[in-house]
Amino acid sequence: MASSSLLALFWFRRDLRLADNVGLFRALTENDAVVPVFIFDKDILDELPKQDRRVAFLHGAVADLKTRLQAAGSDLVVRHARGREAIPALVKEFGASAVFTNEDYEPDAHERDAAVIHALDAMGIPLRLFKDTVIFGNSEILTKQGRPYTVFTPYKNAWRKALKPDHHAEAPSTDHLQSLKKVDGGKLPTLEALGFTPLSSKDPHPEPTPDGAQKRLDRFVAKVIGGYKQSRNLPAVPGTSYLSVYNRFGLLSVRHLVRASLKAIEANKGTAREGAETWLSELIWRDFYFQFLYHHPTAVDGPYREEYTALEWENDDGLFQAWCDGKTGYPLVDAAMAQINSTGYMHNRLRMVTASFLTKDLLVDYRKGEAYFALALIDYDQAANNGGWQWAASTGCDPQPYFRIFSPSRQSERYDPDGVFIKRFLPVFKDVPGKYLHAPWEHTAKLAEYGIELGKQYPKPVVDHDERRLKALAIFKAARASKGMPDEAAAD
């Protein structure tokens, strides 16, 4: 405990938990009293649709955090305001000598934090930022030339080589909750007061608590992780961790997840060990995309690969709307879009399939799909969303080469062979044998036996994949040629 009387604010953001929280641990151990605060930031919320699954999940997570703080003898002070204005105002209100918080790596968050730092500097108050959201920060893993990595595999190898127990050690923040100040945080504003409409009780949504996150982690480690390398590609089975929304809002720490993965790697052999290794790789991808976006913030607005700024997207509004509505005539694509539209979640394999289809088959600018996912996904994370879309569009770092274009029919045959996933989200096909669902236009007579006529009960394909594949190759070649670059496909 510090010798002089120090009071600090701890500003919760992407870390809505008391346990294993680095910034909270530092605040509690370096001050006599800590006031926990959370801002429903108008700069973020005012741009969102009035019914938003992420905001509903966030609201539930904040409510749970407030309850936990009250049980610890404190409370969560909540404001609905601009963060850059609310934090200086709270410093004055409580007479705080410092503000502690964990780092946020998105460009808009940097800009907000810079504004807060500027305002607090004028008051002689520091904003103390700590690494909590990632294992390795923006510039901790660099090439031998001291540059940030733009290719994943060497980054992963360097990440694994650098990893030491200290990097994933628990921050024992819950051991010091006696340093929380006894405050009255008042009532939590309702979703309606924040300007949002509550979700329907029928809308599926995950439990927005650390306990809910732990249950999912326990299930994953006990039943799934051993086969994860294979099962993660099968949308019809519960073969992934389903922890992405909890990662997004920090209901479990990334260190907790890495510890779980390392324990599973150590405990298993053969394919089970490979499953645990594969899951750890997914956690490393998360760090990779965070550091990439930090060093290349212009990727938020356009292609990272400069040669593809010249791509001549067709951007047909009707085709884009068919994709959004899940009415393309390609069942796996349409089922995936039905999943995101009805649940706010999409299986990772299908994120790649739908993104490839939008960009390479429909020839729609990836930024339109990226923006759609940003609004639809409950687990939306800017760095991963931007990285994933630019990967699929072949415009980003370490991308899918432009000439390797997913066939939606082959993806369907390979990853949903019996059509179980397709039938789950496209009930029109519930009685049709799966083998007729990968390319239904080839089985019109068989579909007719089940009362399905393409163009009536289910759409005809909006494009011909083989034709559009050739057109996509042409526009990518043209973009490269306009920049004086050789044909990448010819060298493959």
Side-chain angles (χ1 to χ4, degrees):
M1 184 70 70
S3 57
S4 58
S5 181
L6 296 174
L7 183 142
L9 303 184
F10 180 73
W11 181 10
F12 284 96
R13 307 195 302 193
R14 298 182 54 124
D15 52 353
L16 302 178
R17 65 184 187 280
L18 299 182
D20 198 3
N21 186 319
V22 174
L24 180 61
F25 170 75
R26 294 290 296 273
L28 293 170
T29 54
E30 295 178 24
N31 297 276
D32 294 300
V34 174
V35 177
V37 304
F38 179 84
I39 312 300
F40 283 107
D41 199 322
K42 289 187 174 183
D43 285 339
I44 300 171
L45 299 185
D46 287 357
E47 302 298 317
L48 299 178
K50 295 310 171 190
Q51 190 168 69
D52 191 291
R53 290 186 180 89
R54 286 163 305 166
V55 176
F57 184 91
L58 170 65
H59 187 268
V62 172
D64 179 76
L65 178 62
K66 188 173 175 68
T67 298
R68 289 170 189 267
L69 285 163
Q70 289 170 343
S74 183
D75 201 351
L76 184 65
V77 177
V78 178
R79 296 288 184 269
H80 180 209
R82 301 182 74 211
R84 62 190 65 203
E85 296 168 355
I87 293 301
L90 285 165
V91 165
K92 289 180 182 177
E93 180 179 339
F94 288 98
S97 56
V99 179
F100 286 62
T101 195
N102 288 314
E103 293 173 339
D104 193 340
Y105 301 105
E106 295 178 355
D108 285 351
H110 279 290
E111 200 258 329
R112 174 203 60 206
D113 288 354
V116 172
I117 288 169
H118 179 74
L120 293 182
D121 277 350
M123 302 164 64
I125 302 295
L127 178 67
R128 303 277 305 280
L129 291 153
F130 298 92
K131 181 181 70 173
D132 179 78
T133 303
V134 296
I135 297 296
F136 290 108
N138 299 323
S139 300
E140 289 188 273
I141 303 292
L142 299 171
T143 66
K144 290 179 180 177
Q145 293 75 36
R147 299 191 184 111
Y149 282 93
T150 57
V151 178
F152 176 68
T153 298
Y155 174 85
K156 180 180 80 168
N157 293 338
W159 192 103
R160 289 300 308 267
K161 186 176 180 180
L163 187 68
K164 301 290 188 294
D166 284 354
H167 292 122
H168 52 80
E170 181 178 359
S173 38
T174 51
D175 291 348
H176 302 277
L177 298 183
Q178 68 275 11
S179 294
L180 292 169
K181 183 175 175 60
K182 289 179 171 57
V183 292
D184 181 359
K187 287 188 177 181
L188 181 71
T190 62
L191 273 174
E192 292 92 336
L194 296 173
F196 291 88
T197 305
L199 300 180
S200 161
S201 59
K202 296 180 181 178
D203 195 300
H205 51 275
E207 179 186 339
T209 69
D211 293 343
Q214 187 62 50
K215 287 176 196 170
R216 291 206 177 190
L217 177 61
D218 290 343
R219 180 202 67 85
F220 176 65
V221 171
K223 298 183 178 180
V224 179
I225 197 170
Y228 177 74
K229 186 175 182 180
Q230 292 75 36
S231 67
R232 71 191 179 117
N233 283 310
L234 305 175
V237 304
T240 65
S241 72
Y242 299 101
L243 285 166
S244 53
V245 67
Y246 297 107
N247 291 350
R248 169 61 183 88
F249 293 105
L251 274 72
L252 291 180
S253 81
V254 68
R255 293 173 300 283
H256 186 67
L257 301 182
V258 167
R259 290 194 298 270
S261 67
L262 292 173
K263 185 177 179 181
I265 289 168
E266 189 177 325
N268 289 291
K269 295 179 181 178
T271 56
R273 185 184 180 98
E274 287 180 4
E277 286 276 9
T278 302
W279 187 53
L280 179 60
S281 288
E282 293 300 307
L283 296 174
I284 300 172
W285 267 109
R286 189 169 172 274
D287 273 15
F288 175 73
Y289 278 143
F290 273 130
Q291 65 87 34
F292 174 79
L293 193 61
Y294 173 81
H295 288 289
H296 302 93
T298 56
V300 168
D301 300 312
Y304 164 68
R305 297 183 67 173
E306 195 270 339
E307 64 266 32
Y308 294 134
T309 57
L311 278 169
E312 294 189 1
W313 302 105
E314 288 188 358
N315 286 330
D316 182 295
D317 289 340
L319 292 179
F320 177 61
Q321 194 60 51
W323 178 85
C324 294
D325 295 341
K327 295 181 178 178
T328 68
Y330 286 82
L332 187 64
V333 172
D334 293 343
M337 296 307 295
Q339 182 181 41
I340 194 175
N341 290 334
S342 63
T343 71
Y345 171 80
M346 186 189 286
H347 188 276
N348 190 58
R349 165 60 57 177
L350 302 183
R351 297 187 196 202
M352 293 187 280
V353 171
T354 54
S356 177
F357 187 81
L358 183 71
T359 56
K360 307 291 179 59
D361 285 70
L362 303 187
L363 304 179
V364 170
D365 191 326
Y366 76 88
R367 283 167 286 200
K368 292 172 74 70
E370 181 188 359
Y372 189 84
F373 273 26
L375 290 175
L377 286 171
I378 193 172
D379 62 1
Y380 168 67
D381 207 317
Q382 185 180 38
N385 193 51
N386 178 270
W389 271 95
Q390 292 220 41
W391 180 90
S394 304
T395 62
C397 65
D398 199 8
Q400 171 90 328
Y402 80 82
F403 48 85
R404 292 187 185 149
I405 297 174
F406 285 153
S407 161
S409 298
R410 289 198 194 98
Q411 291 286 309
S412 184
E413 289 170 350
R414 185 172 181 183
Y415 298 115
D416 191 28
D418 298 322
V420 174
F421 178 83
I422 289 171
K423 294 179 187 183
R424 185 179 302 157
F425 286 96
L426 300 180
V428 67
F429 292 128
K430 63 183 174 64
D431 297 322
V432 182
K435 62 184 177 180
Y436 303 124
L437 302 183
H438 311 303
W441 54 91
E442 295 178 356
H443 306 287
T444 53
K446 183 57 68 174
L447 290 177
E449 294 178 16
Y450 294 91
I452 298 170
E453 181 182 345
L454 296 187
K456 290 189 177 179
Q457 288 78 18
Y458 182 71
K460 293 178 179 179
V462 292
V463 294
D464 179 284
H465 170 71
D466 292 333
E467 290 178 4
R468 301 296 280 189
R469 176 182 175 279
L470 295 175
K471 199 160 192 178
L473 292 174
I475 72 164
F476 274 85
K477 288 177 183 177
R480 293 179 67 83
S482 73
K483 301 289 185 178
M485 298 189 69
D487 179 12
E488 196 176 34
D492 184 55

